[in-house]
Amino acid sequence: MFEHQQNIWLESLQKQGYRITNPLKIIVEIMASSDVILNPTQVFLLAKEKNSNIGLVTIYRSMEKLEQAGLIGRVHMPDGCQSFFHASNGHQHLIICEQCGKAEYFEGDDLNPLFNRTGEQFGYQITDHWLQLFGFCQKCKEINLNRK
Amino acid sequence: MFEHQQNIWLESLQKQGYRITNPLKIIVEIMASSDVILNPTQVFLLAKEKNSNIGLVTIYRSMEKLEQAGLIGRVHMPDGCQSFFHASNGHQHLIICEQCGKAEYFEGDDLNPLFNRTGEQFGYQITDHWLQLFGFCQKCKEINLNRK
DNA sequence: TTGATTGCAAATATTTTGCAGGCAT
DNA sequence: ATGCCTGCAAAATATTTGCAATCAA
């Protein structure tokens, strides 16, 4: 299942002219199967477990490729914006656990009427929008309860 | 008018125990009257015009104070999240020009039902949300038309 | 074979910290 | 007078670039 997803990513990268190297495969494997947002250093540490020789620079360069290819996207949080998550199908919105970074996409109502109305009201031509929810996921809620 | 706003900020800072120094006054003057988002370096350059002796480090430290005091907030953009803008009254949302950084707050519909519904659906306890619109402001639309 | 990709080292860019002197209170 | 705040220099972080060797195509 995850393997399937990885292959889709690798094919996509190959079609776009990138070479499928071992380090890239490892990074794809990590990013395509992660249900939490990850920053370059976190990806680096996970990747080292699979190939102790991999360099942090390769992570940066590969993340850039995956982003260019539309496979991952940068996730902004109140305390930083260097984490990445696999991209969504279509334009969906993110709900993110502020404790563990677990993220999921959700479909919102159609907010375009609000966005267009607001754009007109202020004289802006709207090109994009962000909607994100922050909170505690099921697991982290339980963890926090047990701590008390 | 802007002076009034500045004084409110300075009083608030004083009440919170901060000392009202000349560099802080200059930074408050800039942040309280700016209608565009500004990063520390931009604030530094603007502040230097008023006090050529001011240091970039002071900008960083003062921005932290203003943020702590709830007077400014960090603004996240697709290409960076180191800019600041004066805080809103209540929980409003931002519409930002991606070209010049001009920003304004707007009141949305009440999106809480959507947020709560989504939180329940995924098992998250929602603590916060972000809604931001990006686009081109009136002036930048005109600038771009004239360029063609 | 060829040139894109890698890992290392070094360079940049950004932000934070240590400290002596100055200034608000 | 006290100790918070400032500016400088230096340190710590985060990210990017140069380069020779390697490897996918």
Side-chain angles (χ1 to χ4, degrees):
Chain A
M1 173 180 174
F2 281 149
E3 293 74 30
H4 177 57
Q5 193 60 26
Q6 283 171 43
N7 289 338
I8 293 175
W9 285 32
L10 292 173
E11 273 174 40
S12 167
L13 287 164
Q14 192 165 46
K15 270 184 198 160
Q16 296 183 53
Y18 297 113
R19 294 188 173 180
I20 307 310
T21 65
N22 209 254
L24 186 62
K25 272 188 204 163
I26 289 172
I27 294 165
V28 163
E29 196 179 325
I30 290 166
M31 291 309 299
S33 68
S34 178
D35 65 349
V36 301
I37 64 175
L38 296 171
N39 66 37
T41 304
Q42 291 172 314
V43 176
F44 175 58
L45 295 174
L46 290 169
K48 274 191 104 149
E49 292 173 10
K50 305 186 188 218
N51 176 352
S52 62
N53 204 38
I54 201 166
L56 178 57
V57 181
T58 301
I59 310 295
Y60 276 98
R61 287 193 275 225
S62 298
M63 298 301 265
E64 203 180 314
K65 285 171 194 171
L66 298 195
E67 195 178 15
Q68 286 288 322
L71 297 169
I72 64 174
R74 193 175 283 267
V75 176
H76 293 248
M77 300 277 283
D79 63 340
C81 46
Q82 63 290 83
S83 288
F84 293 86
F85 194 60
H86 67 78
S88 73
N89 310 313
H91 199 133
Q92 299 181 70
H93 308 296
L94 271 180
I95 177 169
I96 309 171
C97 177
E98 58 186 70
Q99 188 161 306
C100 71
K102 184 178 180 189
E104 318 192 42
Y105 286 103
F106 69 94
E107 302 255 6
D109 298 350
D110 184 10
L111 298 172
N112 284 316
L114 167 63
F115 299 158
N116 292 333
R117 202 188 325 139
T118 305
E120 277 167 31
Q121 187 186 334
F122 289 94
Y124 283 62
Q125 179 193 338
I126 303 300
T127 55
D128 198 9
H129 64 267
W130 277 355
L131 174 57
Q132 274 183 38
L133 303 187
F134 302 101
F136 295 97
C137 72
Q138 190 67 50
K139 276 190 189 167
C140 287
K141 278 194 292 188
E142 289 163 13
I143 290 170
N144 295 343
L145 271 178
N146 292 335
R147 273 199 193 142
K148 285 176 188 170
Chain B
M1 172 180 173
F2 280 151
E3 293 74 30
H4 178 58
Q5 193 60 26
Q6 284 171 42
N7 290 336
I8 293 175
W9 285 32
L10 292 173
E11 273 174 39
S12 167
L13 288 163
Q14 191 164 47
K15 269 184 200 160
Q16 295 183 53
Y18 296 114
R19 292 189 175 178
I20 308 308
T21 65
N22 209 255
L24 186 63
K25 273 187 205 164
I26 289 173
I27 293 165
V28 164
E29 196 180 325
I30 290 167
M31 290 310 298
S33 68
S34 178
D35 65 348
V36 300
I37 64 175
L38 296 171
N39 65 36
T41 304
Q42 291 172 314
V43 176
F44 176 57
L45 294 174
L46 290 169
K48 273 191 104 150
E49 291 173 11
K50 306 184 188 224
N51 177 351
S52 61
N53 205 38
I54 201 168
L56 178 57
V57 180
T58 301
I59 310 295
Y60 276 98
R61 286 193 276 225
S62 298
M63 299 300 267
E64 203 179 315
K65 285 171 194 169
L66 298 196
E67 195 178 14
Q68 287 288 319
L71 298 170
I72 64 174
R74 195 176 283 265
V75 176
H76 293 249
M77 300 277 284
D79 63 340
C81 46
Q82 62 292 82
S83 288
F84 293 86
F85 195 60
H86 66 78
S88 73
N89 311 312
H91 199 131
Q92 299 183 69
H93 309 296
L94 271 181
I95 177 170
I96 310 170
C97 177
E98 59 185 66
Q99 187 160 306
C100 70
K102 184 178 179 187
E104 318 192 43
Y105 287 103
F106 69 94
E107 302 255 8
D109 298 351
D110 184 9
L111 299 172
N112 284 315
L114 167 63
F115 299 157
N116 292 332
R117 203 189 324 139
T118 305
E120 278 168 30
Q121 187 187 335
F122 289 94
Y124 283 62
Q125 178 193 336
I126 302 299
T127 56
D128 198 10
H129 64 266
W130 275 356
L131 174 57
Q132 275 183 35
L133 304 187
F134 302 100
F136 294 97
C137 73
Q138 190 67 50
K139 275 190 189 167
C140 287
K141 278 194 291 189
E142 289 162 14
I143 289 170
N144 295 342
L145 271 177
N146 292 334
R147 272 200 194 140
K148 283 175 189 167

